[in-house]
Amino acid sequence: MKSLKLRYLTLLACGMFLFSGCEIFREALEESYTSEDPSSDEFETRFNIGIFEVVKYPRATMLEREINIDHENTVCINTNALFSSKRIRQARAIPRPGNPDIYDLEIRIDRMGKTQWMMLTGGNKNREVVMMVDDRYAGSFIPESYQDGSKDWVRVRIGVDNYTARGIVKFAKKNYEYYNPEAKNWFENLFRP
């Protein structure tokens, strides 16, 4: 009887450990599915960022979509992204002072990204925009002013969790390489069987 209880408790503990959302197992499982080489056919982008405008007065158009913020609240966004991972060369996670479990991001943007970021900040002064990561709500933030277009790095005060921040940092460069292959790679991929 004791050994049956011990087996049951061991099985229950293992099950809880495996299915509790442990980040290490989740990351290992996700990494086992795809290639790490952005030029490979098996590569899948992950931790894709999209920044969207909030629609205050929805008009039920095809470009508007309601997304879940949490279990009770929703927000309506314009589905045309103002900015995306396609323009992010690199990312850094910056822990918030006083709360090391929450991270803001610094992103290094390319030349076209600088133009898009200027348009994003100019068109949304003192208004929140929504950041989605892999089509999930990551948070809202007010973009900081970006007027001269000479800075390569911009700060996004978003407050994401450790797992999301590490994923964005890890995959930013790979996603950029996937979305922006060099000219010779583009030409080779064009005629690949």
Side-chain angles (χ1 to χ4, degrees):
M1 186 69 169
K2 267 189 172 181
S3 71
L4 184 61
K5 272 187 172 178
L6 183 60
R7 286 182 190 168
Y8 177 72
L9 288 174
T10 305
L11 183 61
L12 182 64
C14 289
M16 287 176 53
F17 183 71
L18 290 174
F19 297 109
S20 66
C22 183
E23 288 182 19
I24 295 169
F25 286 114
R26 184 170 38 173
E27 287 178 23
L29 185 62
E30 286 177 358
E31 287 178 5
S32 69
Y33 288 128
T34 64
S35 168
E36 293 290 321
D37 180 15
S39 63
S40 110
D41 291 336
E42 291 84 33
F43 182 78
E44 292 178 21
T45 60
R46 290 190 305 211
F47 292 93
N48 276 303
I49 292 175
I51 299 177
F52 302 90
E53 180 180 20
V54 175
V55 177
K56 294 283 186 191
Y57 305 104
R59 294 175 292 278
T61 68
M62 291 178 63
L63 294 177
E64 296 171 353
R65 180 175 135 206
E66 208 168 270
I67 58 168
N68 293 323
I69 294 176
D70 52 34
H71 297 294
E72 299 171 0
N73 299 312
T74 61
V75 67
C76 187
I77 62 168
N78 183 327
T79 57
N80 284 329
L82 301 170
F83 190 83
S84 70
S85 288
K86 187 174 184 177
R87 300 292 162 215
I88 300 173
R89 291 179 168 274
Q90 191 177 356
R92 296 189 285 225
I94 311 296
R96 282 208 175 152
N99 193 350
D101 296 332
I102 301 294
Y103 291 83
D104 291 323
L105 300 170
E106 282 188 348
I107 54 175
R108 183 174 170 232
I109 52 181
D110 67 5
R111 191 179 62 148
M112 179 61 83
K114 291 177 185 180
T115 303
Q116 288 180 351
W117 198 262
M118 279 193 292
M119 291 170 55
L120 179 140
T121 59
N124 293 285
K125 286 186 180 180
N126 300 320
R127 291 192 316 196
E128 282 191 336
V129 292
V130 168
M131 178 185 281
M132 304 281 285
V133 176
D134 288 341
D135 210 27
R136 289 184 324 246
Y137 177 81
S140 300
F141 68 99
I142 296 175
E144 295 180 5
S145 179
Y146 183 81
Q147 296 180 4
D148 61 3
S150 64
K151 295 188 295 184
D152 288 341
W153 290 88
V154 294
R155 171 80 53 111
V156 179
R157 297 183 194 281
I158 186 76
V160 294
D161 60 78
N162 182 26
Y163 173 75
T164 304
R166 285 187 305 139
I168 290 169
V169 169
K170 180 177 179 179
F171 286 96
K173 185 176 181 182
K174 293 174 186 176
N175 290 343
Y176 183 80
E177 289 173 3
Y178 176 80
Y179 289 125
N180 302 285
E182 294 179 358
K184 67 176 184 154
N185 290 342
W186 179 83
F187 190 74
E188 290 170 2
N189 290 338
L190 185 64
F191 297 103
R192 183 182 288 177

